Amino acid sequence: MIDLKKLSKKVVSGKLSRRDFMVKAIAAGATVPFATHLLAESAKAATPNKGGNLRMGIGHGSTTDSTNPATWENGYMANVAGAFVNHLAEVNNKGEISPELAESWESSPDAATWRFKLRKGLEFHNGKTVTAEDVIASFNHHRGDDTTSGAKGVAKPIKDIKADGDTVVFELEGGNADFPFIASDYHFAIMPSKDGKIGADGFDVGTGGFMIESYEPGVRTTFKRNPNYFKEGMAHFDSVEMLSILDANARQSALITGDIDIMDRVDLKTVDLLARNPAVNIMETTGTLHYTFPMRTDTAPFDNNDVRMALKLAFDRQEIVDKVLFGHGSVGNDHPISSANQFHNSELPQRQYDPEKAKWHLKQAGMEGLTVELSAADAAYGGAVDAAVLYKERAAAAGINIEVVREPNDGYWSNVWMNKPWCACYWGGRPTEDWMFSTAYQGGVDWNDTFWSNERFDALLLEARSELDQAKRHEMYGEMQAIVSNQGGVVVPMFANYVMGLSSKIAHHDDVAGNWDLDGNKAAERWWFS
């Protein structure tokens, strides 16, 4: 049966001609006046309205959070960033890299020098004019031996930054054809500087569509609209309230009762039931989100690759996709590169559940009858504890005893992740292979949560970054995926779709970004009340 409402939206977005819509509508039995009415309603809904207070229930956040961009490591703070700061570049709602605070950029032929020209007339929330010096200080906040920033790894290849009038010049250690994507990393928020540093007067001032009014870590953040926002047709709400609601049932109840307008991470067990509510719309996007079980390879027994391989073979990936994601995703292959990425290695054999082969690897390691602890909490992702229990049940056939440790949600990212030897984790992924690998897999970077290092991998990472031949880059990134899959310390059982619940009053453009949840963490800026 033809969905005429969806077809009418395609006309408004330019994906279908008005004439073709009328032909299809009449063929489906609609009258001309009714078809014309649908087009008018779709056009009205696609026109953003100003006003209202947006309330967002976000399934992330911790009392250890702060507005210092070097500390941002979860989806709550990424959404806060999406509301109150901007970057040199952004991934837009179509998934394309586009200028933000920069109006344009250009590179040298070897992609080792990049020049970003700033827009004119930009102002911070405190009235200070944005300068090239602010950009330099904002990037330097994540560079150097002393920084503990999660972006230290991706900033490391930046050799020098200097100002040339209203242009910021980046000198890289080697060529990087993907550098504009790196400049869009949510950590690289541009903030006002003083004496070459940001944060002298706090980290709550940006250039974004909304200004922070109050901030309670792990609880709530309130914003009011920036009246001088430089982006036309953005930041439609008068005010925004972001609530950290870690429990999926509590978020869902708040959406149903009208206490919030948007929720992320819908409980996939009840998504079909929620979709029946006429006051709620379910939106689903695909991208690079993946769920993992990182092992600390600097800690026994995970320092033995035979043990790691045994654990990778000891569970049924499709079962976890079916029972934890309820089909809203796809199986993973123990590396972080999604089929949505440009250089995904589709030829790498898919790892299957094989308890006998897992036993063989344990015998090689001399660790038959292995017992290990696996820490998990719903803070990692909805269903993380269920996934760990399924893992335990299937691993038993390989003679592996997994003791599931249910950890508290609050403080999970500061107390468990990268501290306990084996735990559940999620990654939003990154738009490029280099960005993902540089963030979490390069030897020695701060967010390498498996503490893994491989000389061949690190050498390929540098070579692929500066290689301009796309075929050669595809080959190198393919080999890197194989190295991580076969030798790395991460178990990647599944890639998950982003599933969100929206009040029927919420409107947005047809194209919604999938690089992060909630329209690339930009829902506050891009959406509106219909």
Side-chain angles (χ1 to χ4, degrees), residues 146-164:
D146 295 335
T147 184
T148 58
S149 171
K152 181 178 181 179
V154 290
K156 187 177 181 180
I158 301 173
K159 185 168 60 175
D160 188 31
I161 317 174
K162 58 186 178 183
D164 181 9

Side-chain angles (χ1 to χ4, degrees), residues 15-34:
K15 297 178 180 178
L16 183 71
S17 72
R18 181 184 177 92
R19 179 182 180 279
D20 287 344
F21 169 78
M22 296 301 291
V23 170
K24 292 178 181 291
I26 292 170
T31 64
V32 171
F34 179 71

